[in-house]
Structure formats: structure tokens, C-alpha cells
Amino acid sequence: QVQLVESGGGSVQPGGSLRLSCAASGFTFRDSRMSWVRQAPGKGLEWISGITPGGFGPSYRESVAGRFTISRDNAKNTVYLQMNNLKLEDTAVYYCAKGDGVAPRGQGVQVTVSS
């Protein structure tokens, strides 16, 4: 079955950076679009970025465009999210998801941005 395991979360100050990783198994990763989604406290899930199977033409939610970069390594069955210039409003649980939607997704990692 699909398994997605995120890592790399933590606490940073505004302006800081974090790199999230997601190790995938149970499906043909190299043939699958992948996404990152997040859920801020008290809010619903929101899609923030997606990437094609070949790693081309990444897409981003407007609020993270220019600060976040999605990438993937098909040899390692891993998708990444480099997050720079983090803002208070980026505080959320971050999930990677198979495909373009919010499921199936991993267990999530907490990212906390605070001063």
C-alpha cells in the first residue's frame, strides 16, 4: 500500500529555512505526480505545491511562490520541499501526498515559525 513518511520539520524564527523530505513506497514513484499540502491550526488542508513525475514544471500556491521549492529524486523515491524566508503564517503540519490532491498522504511533520 501507499506509504509516505515525512521528515525535516521543526521550529524556526521568521526568515529561517527548513527542508522537508518525504520517502515514498508502495507505488511506482517515478510515474506519480507528488504534492505538498499543509494544515494550519484551526484551518483546513491546503495544497501548496506539486511536481510532475519527471520533475518538470513545478507549481505553487501563490502564498509560497518564490520562497518554497519542490523537487524530487526518483532514484531515491523521495520528494523534497525547500522552504526559505519562512513566515509566521507558514506554521502548520506539512504532508506530502501522492497525486494532485490531499490524499493519500503521510502522517505529517510540524513546522513552527515563531519569534
Side-chain angles (χ1 to χ4, degrees):
Q1 69 276 21
V2 173
Q3 287 196 320
L4 300 164
V5 180
E6 301 93 340
S7 61
S11 297
V12 296
Q13 294 184 336
S17 298
L18 284 172
R19 188 193 195 204
L20 306 183
S21 299
C22 172
S25 62
F27 63 100
T28 306
F29 180 80
R30 65 179 180 275
D31 292 339
S32 301
R33 297 176 65 92
M34 297 295 294
S35 297
W36 285 94
V37 301
R38 69 184 180 187
Q39 186 166 27
K43 298 187 177 181
L45 285 163
E46 68 174 10
W47 175 91
I48 56 171
S49 185
I51 191 166
T52 63
F56 304 108
S59 52
Y60 301 94
R61 189 177 193 87
E62 185 176 355
S63 60
V64 307
R67 299 187 297 121
F68 291 11
T69 303
I70 190 172
S71 62
R72 65 191 294 159
D73 185 336
N74 286 345
K76 296 182 178 180
N77 283 8
T78 302
V79 61
Y80 305 97
L81 187 68
Q82 176 67 43
M83 305 186 295
N84 297 330
N85 191 22
L86 283 160
K87 302 179 179 181
L88 296 175
E89 55 265 38
D90 293 319
T91 294
V93 178
Y94 285 71
Y95 305 87
C96 69
K98 178 179 177 292
D100 292 323
V102 299
R105 62 182 182 273
Q107 83 289 348
V109 289
Q110 177 69 47
V111 172
T112 302
V113 186
S114 66
S115 55

